[in-house]
Amino acid sequence: MFDVLIANLPYLMKGTLQTLWLALVGVGLGTFLGTVLGVVSAMVGGAVAALIATYVFVIRGIPVLVWMFLAYYMLPQLGLMVGDVTAVIGALILYTGAFVTEIARGAVLAVPRHQTEAAKALGMRKLTMLRLVILPQAVSLFIPPLLNNSVMMIKATSYVSVVGVWELTYAAREVVERTLAAFQIFLGVMLIYFLICYPLTLAARFLEKRYSYEH
Amino acid sequence: MSTKPDMPMIRVRGVYKSFGDLKVLDGMSFDVARGEVLAIIGPSGSGKSTMLRCLNFLEEHDAGEILIEGEPLGYRVLDDGRRVRESEAEIARMRSNVGMVFQSFNLFPHRNVRENITMAPVSVKNVDKAEANDRAEALLEKVGLAEKIDEYPSRLSGGQQQRVAIARALAMEPKVMLFDEVTSALDPELVGEVLTVMQKLAEEGMTMVIVTHEMQFAHDVGDRLMFIDRGNIVEEGDPTKVFSMPESPRLKEFLHRFSASFG
Amino acid sequence: MDAILDFFGFAFIQSQLPRFWDGFQLTLAISAASMVGAVMWGLALVGPRMSGVPAIVVPIMSYIELVRNTPLLLQIYLFYFGLPLLGLPLSAFVCGVIAIASQHGAFLCEIYRAGIRSISRQQWEGALALGMTRRKAMRQVILPQAVLKVVPPIGNQLVILIKDTSLVSAIGIIELTLSGKMVIERSGASFEVFLFIAAVYLLLTTTFGVVLRVAENRLRARQ
C-alpha cells in the first residue's frame, strides 16, 4: 500500500537533508541573533530597546511567507546577487530572530530584581552580573519556549517551497504531481516532519515541567 | 584616589530623593564614624530603607552628596555645584567597599553556599580562588554554618540563609556593612541567630548602619540611634536616652505604638 | 516629491490597487471563515480531550500532536490534493479554510484546556460544596474565570492564523500574497509591491490586535 512512498523515499530523504540544512542555518543563526538582541534590549533599555522592539513588531506582524517573497524579489534588485536559497534563509533568520528576541528578553527580565541588586551591592559590573547571576537563572526560562519556537520555524522552512526553493515539501509536491499518490506522499512527508519536530516538543514540555518543580 | 583618614566613614549631606511626586528623603544630613554602629528606626514609609539603599547607590539620590571615607558615591559635586555621575566602574568599585544585607536574603539560588560567598571576591576583586575559598570557610565558621558550605540556598532555613548572606557580604572585606530590616522576613525563633552574628560583628569594630524594627536590638547594639519620619531625622542620640526620654511627639507616638503591640 | 514616490513605485502600486483590493478581501474572507472554524473546532475537541476516557482521549491527542508538529502547508496540500481522490472535489477556498481551521483548532483546544485546568480545585470544590451540579459549576464558576485567562493567548493564536492565510496562495487562491506575486510576474514590477503587501499585513494584524485588546478590557471590566 505504501509502495509509492517507499519507491520515492530516497528522493524525499534528499529533500529532508535540505530541510534540515535550512533549519540548521536559518533557525540556528536566527536564534543567535535573537538571543543577543533580547539580552541587549533587557539590559540596556532606552532607545536601543525601542529600536529592537520596532524590529520585533514589524517582523512579527507580517507573514513569514511575505518576508520570503520580499527577500526573494528585493535582494537581487538591490544588486545583491545572492541565490534564492540565501534570500529565503535571510528571511528565516530575521523571523526566528524576532521571536527569539522576545523570548530572551522575557527570560532576562523575569530574573527577580533583588538578584541584580544583590549582585550590584557586591560591586559587580553589568557584564559580570550578566554572566554570573542573570544568564544562569534566565536559561531555564529561555530553553523551553526556545524549543517550541524552533519547532515553529522548522515547520516554516517548508514555506520556502512556495517561493520556489527546493526542499522536502517541494520534493513532495514534485512526487505527487508525478504519481498522484497525494495521501501516501503527503502523509509520509508529514511523518518525516513529525519525527523531526516532536522530540523537540517533548523536550520543551519535559524541561518546562522540571523547571516549574524547581521553582 | 587616596582615602582621607580624618573624614568620617560615611558623610551624608543634604540628600533629597523623590519617587515621582512623593518626597521620600527631605534633605538628610548625618555622619557615621569609623567603627560606629548606627541604628535607624522609623515607621514604614519614613524613608529609612531608601536612605540605607542610597548608601550603596541602589537608589540614586536626586540632590546632595554622599561620601564614603571622603570619596563621593555615585555623583561627584563640582565646585560650581553641578553633579556629574560617576562611571559604572567607579560605582562598582565604591560598592565593593560597602557590604549590604537584604530583608529577603537575595542569595543566588543557582549557586551553592561556597560559590555564593566566593563569587564576588573572585570576579570583582580578582582574589585567588583558593584564598577566596579559605576565606569563605573562615566566614562560615564565624556565622556558625561551616557544615553547610556545599548546600544550595533553597535547602537552608531563613535564618541560615541570612547568615550566609552576611558572610557573602563580609567576604568582600567591606569597610561598612548595611543591614536592611534583615530579620523582618524571619520566623520569630530564627531572629536570634542572625542578631547574634550582627552583635559579634559590632563588637569587632565593624562600622554598621542598621535599619530595624527590633527595638531591643537597636538599643543594645547601637552606639547611636536615629529616628526618621517623613524623610527627616526627627531625633538622634544615645539609644538609652532616646528611648527613655523621647522629645518629639512623633517618636513618643511611635514608641508607644511599639510597646502597645509588643507589650 | 513625485519623483520619490515614483521611485518607490507608488504610482504603479496605485494603478494596481483594484487587484490588491480583491486579494485583500479574499484574505479577510479566509481569515474570518478560518477563525470561526478554528474556534468551534477547538471547542468541539476540548470536551472529549478532557473526558478522561482513553479510547477517546488517545485518538484526539494523537491528532492534535500530529497537526501541531507538522507544517500547515502540507496539511493544506493534503486536503487540496487528497480530498478529490476521495471523491470530494472541494474548492481551493474550502480546502484552505478546513486545513487552517484544523491546525489552529488543535492549538486552540490546548489553550482552552490550559485555561480550564488553571482554575484551581478549590474553585471546583467551593462550587460543588454550594450544591451546584458539575455542569452548573462549570458554566457559572469555572468557565467565566477560564475565559478571561485564555483571551490573550487566543488572540495571539488568531493573529498567527491571519498570517497563515498567506499559505493558501500555494494552492492558487489569489489572496493578498499571491496577488502581489502575480502583479510582479505579469507586469515585471519590482519588489516595492511586496513592501506594500507587507505594510497591509502589518496594518491588518495590528488592527486586529488592538481590537482584541479593547474587547479583552471590556470583558475584564464587566466581570
Side-chain angles (χ1 to χ4, degrees):
Chain A
M1 188 185 159
F2 285 103
D3 44 332
V4 178
L5 178 63
I6 290 162
N8 287 286
L9 211 50
Y11 189 63
L12 294 175
M13 278 300 133
K14 258 173 75 183
T16 307
L17 280 183
Q18 175 73 0
T19 287
L20 286 175
W21 188 76
L22 286 172
L24 199 69
V25 179
V27 182
L29 290 180
T31 298
F32 177 75
L33 171 76
T35 308
V36 172
L37 288 182
V39 171
V40 167
S41 161
M43 295 295 288
V44 178
V48 175
L51 205 66
I52 293 174
T54 309
Y55 154 75
V56 171
F57 169 74
V58 170
I59 295 282
R60 299 209 320 179
I62 296 163
V64 62
L65 183 59
V66 172
W67 285 116
M68 287 171 181
F69 271 122
L70 191 59
Y72 176 82
Y73 286 119
M74 184 166 81
L75 294 183
Q77 280 183 32
L78 291 182
L80 287 166
M81 276 309 154
V82 295
D84 302 349
V85 178
T86 314
V88 296
I89 283 181
L92 280 173
I93 291 173
L94 281 183
Y95 215 73
T96 309
F99 280 85
V100 174
T101 297
E102 277 305 277
I103 297 171
R105 188 172 155 274
V108 168
L109 290 179
V111 174
R113 212 177 106 97
H114 64 70
Q115 286 288 312
T116 56
E117 285 194 344
K120 276 188 202 166
L122 288 167
M124 288 189 200
R125 298 179 59 180
K126 269 194 172 167
L127 281 179
T128 312
M129 181 160 79
L130 188 67
R131 184 167 56 87
L132 295 176
V133 178
I134 297 177
L135 291 186
Q137 297 190 59
V139 89
S140 61
L141 293 167
F142 181 56
I143 300 292
L146 184 68
L147 288 173
N148 284 325
N149 189 65
S150 299
V151 169
M152 185 182 93
M153 290 316 298
I154 290 170
K155 293 193 291 173
T157 60
S158 68
Y159 306 168
V160 305
S161 65
V162 181
V163 182
V165 171
W166 190 83
E167 41 65 79
L168 180 55
T169 300
Y170 198 106
R173 270 201 73 163
E174 286 177 332
V175 174
V176 169
E177 269 158 32
R178 205 152 29 79
T179 63
L180 299 178
F183 278 108
Q184 278 188 46
I185 299 300
F186 285 137
L187 280 174
V189 169
M190 275 171 77
L191 192 64
I192 295 176
Y193 277 105
F194 185 80
L195 290 177
I196 297 170
C197 293
Y198 198 51
L200 296 176
T201 301
L202 289 182
R205 225 171 274 168
F206 171 77
L207 291 176
E208 214 166 315
K209 221 172 242 170
R210 214 187 68 187
Y211 291 141
S212 69
Y213 287 140
E214 275 176 16
H215 284 288
Chain B
M1 167 96 353
S2 63
T3 56
K4 303 168 193 163
D6 54 318
M7 289 293 283
M9 187 60 88
I10 299 173
R11 167 155 284 179
V12 176
R13 282 291 171 271
V15 164
Y16 286 86
K17 170 83 190 167
S18 324
F19 294 119
D21 289 337
L22 184 69
K23 192 174 275 181
V24 187
L25 298 179
D26 196 8
M28 299 270 286
S29 296
F30 60 90
D31 286 351
V32 182
R34 205 172 300 271
E36 189 182 20
V37 176
L38 171 67
I40 303 179
I41 60 171
S44 52
S46 60
K48 57 187 191 306
S49 273
T50 305
M51 186 62 246
L52 193 76
R53 289 163 57 82
C54 281
L55 297 180
N56 208 352
F57 208 58
L58 287 177
E59 301 292 352
E60 306 188 9
H61 47 292
D62 300 333
E65 195 174 25
I66 297 173
L67 304 171
I68 309 289
E69 281 198 312
E71 286 190 71
L73 174 67
Y75 290 98
R76 185 174 294 275
V77 180
L78 302 179
D79 290 338
D80 59 4
R82 275 186 304 137
R83 297 194 329 149
V84 184
R85 200 174 195 281
E86 302 273 13
S87 69
E88 196 217 340
E90 174 61 16
I91 292 169
R93 189 185 67 80
M94 291 294 287
R95 277 181 177 142
S96 68
N97 291 325
V98 181
M100 179 142 188
V101 186
F102 301 88
Q103 180 177 346
S104 52
F105 330 135
N106 304 5
L107 293 180
F108 303 127
H110 59 297
R111 297 294 185 95
N112 65 22
V113 167
R114 181 198 307 272
E115 293 163 337
N116 260 280
I117 299 174
T118 57
M119 185 194 279
V122 171
S123 66
V124 176
K125 292 177 96 176
N126 295 318
V127 174
D128 175 64
K129 260 203 172 134
E131 196 192 324
N133 199 41
D134 291 348
R135 203 188 288 168
E137 284 170 8
L139 285 168
L140 281 174
E141 191 78 46
K142 183 172 180 170
V143 300
L145 289 171
E147 77 284 3
K148 301 288 186 190
I149 191 158
D150 291 318
E151 287 286 6
Y152 277 83
S154 58
R155 313 246 315 166
L156 303 180
S157 73
Q160 291 170 334
Q161 288 191 49
Q162 197 58 295
R163 284 187 280 156
V164 172
I166 294 173
R168 179 176 71 174
L170 289 173
M172 291 296 284
E173 302 186 314
K175 296 170 177 166
V176 190
M177 286 284 282
L178 310 175
F179 295 85
D180 189 7
E181 301 192 21
V182 295
T183 56
S184 300
L186 296 177
D187 291 335
E189 71 271 19
L190 301 178
V191 169
E193 61 190 64
V194 173
L195 295 184
T196 307
V197 170
M198 289 167 66
Q199 182 147 20
K200 204 155 50 166
L201 265 183
E203 283 161 6
E204 288 170 6
M206 175 63 81
T207 310
M208 296 163 64
V209 182
I210 304 170
V211 165
T212 185
H213 285 131
E214 301 285 335
M215 294 302 151
Q216 189 63 46
F217 182 74
H219 174 268
D220 295 348
V221 175
D223 296 319
R224 189 153 55 106
L225 189 77
M226 186 187 280
F227 172 66
I228 296 183
D229 193 18
R230 294 174 211 165
N232 285 301
I233 300 170
V234 179
E235 220 165 305
E236 67 177 314
D238 174 68
T240 311
K241 220 182 111 200
V242 172
F243 274 128
S244 56
M245 286 180 290
E247 289 170 6
S248 67
R250 274 192 266 170
L251 178 55
K252 277 179 193 159
E253 194 207 326
F254 177 73
L255 292 175
H256 179 73
R257 249 187 294 149
F258 252 88
S259 55
S261 54
F262 291 104
Chain C
M1 190 66 196
D2 279 354
I4 297 171
L5 285 180
D6 206 47
F7 174 78
F8 280 108
F10 271 75
F12 174 74
I13 285 170
Q14 212 169 17
S15 73
Q16 300 295 321
L17 274 184
R19 289 188 175 170
F20 296 133
W21 176 242
D22 289 345
F24 180 69
Q25 283 179 312
L26 254 179
T27 289
L28 282 187
I30 294 169
S31 298
S34 309
M35 272 183 203
V36 173
V39 168
M40 305 296 276
W41 182 228
L43 285 176
L45 287 172
V46 72
R49 170 74 179 82
M50 297 183 78
S51 66
V53 182
I56 300 173
V57 174
V58 172
I60 289 186
M61 260 181 71
S62 311
Y63 158 76
I64 290 176
E65 297 285 36
L66 183 72
V67 168
R68 281 167 32 123
N69 287 281
T70 54
L72 175 56
L73 183 60
L74 268 176
Q75 294 159 24
I76 291 173
Y77 286 154
L78 189 66
F79 283 106
Y80 182 67
F81 293 106
L83 288 182
L85 301 181
L86 296 178
L88 282 170
L90 297 174
S91 71
F93 184 95
V94 174
C95 288
V97 167
I98 292 177
I100 294 173
S102 156
Q103 177 167 73
H104 286 271
F107 275 98
L108 286 174
C109 169
E110 293 300 290
I111 292 174
Y112 301 153
R113 193 171 71 96
I116 293 170
R117 279 176 37 146
S118 73
I119 307 305
S120 67
R121 265 177 70 108
Q122 280 97 321
Q123 288 291 315
W124 270 110
E125 286 169 357
L128 297 179
L130 288 171
M132 289 188 184
T133 59
R134 279 187 67 83
R135 201 183 176 75
K136 239 190 191 140
M138 185 65 148
R139 265 226 318 267
Q140 296 189 3
V141 179
I142 305 300
L143 279 185
Q145 298 184 60
V147 164
L148 270 188
K149 288 202 179 175
V150 297
V151 165
I154 290 176
N156 288 339
Q157 193 64 41
L158 294 183
V159 170
I160 300 175
L161 183 150
I162 293 177
K163 293 191 287 171
D164 276 352
T165 61
S166 62
L167 290 173
V168 301
S169 61
I171 52 172
I173 299 177
I174 309 174
E175 42 64 79
L176 192 53
T177 305
L178 189 52
S179 71
K181 189 186 170 202
M182 287 178 65
V183 165
I184 285 187
E185 284 179 359
R186 283 194 190 154
S187 55
S190 65
F191 68 90
E192 286 89 344
V193 167
F194 265 98
L195 283 181
F196 173 74
I197 300 277
V200 174
Y201 272 113
L202 188 60
L203 200 68
L204 178 60
T205 53
T206 308
T207 310
F208 184 73
V210 170
V211 168
L212 272 175
R213 202 147 328 133
V214 170
E216 187 194 333
N217 287 340
R218 289 239 175 114
L219 197 65
R220 217 168 277 279
R222 240 192 2 199
Q223 289 203 355

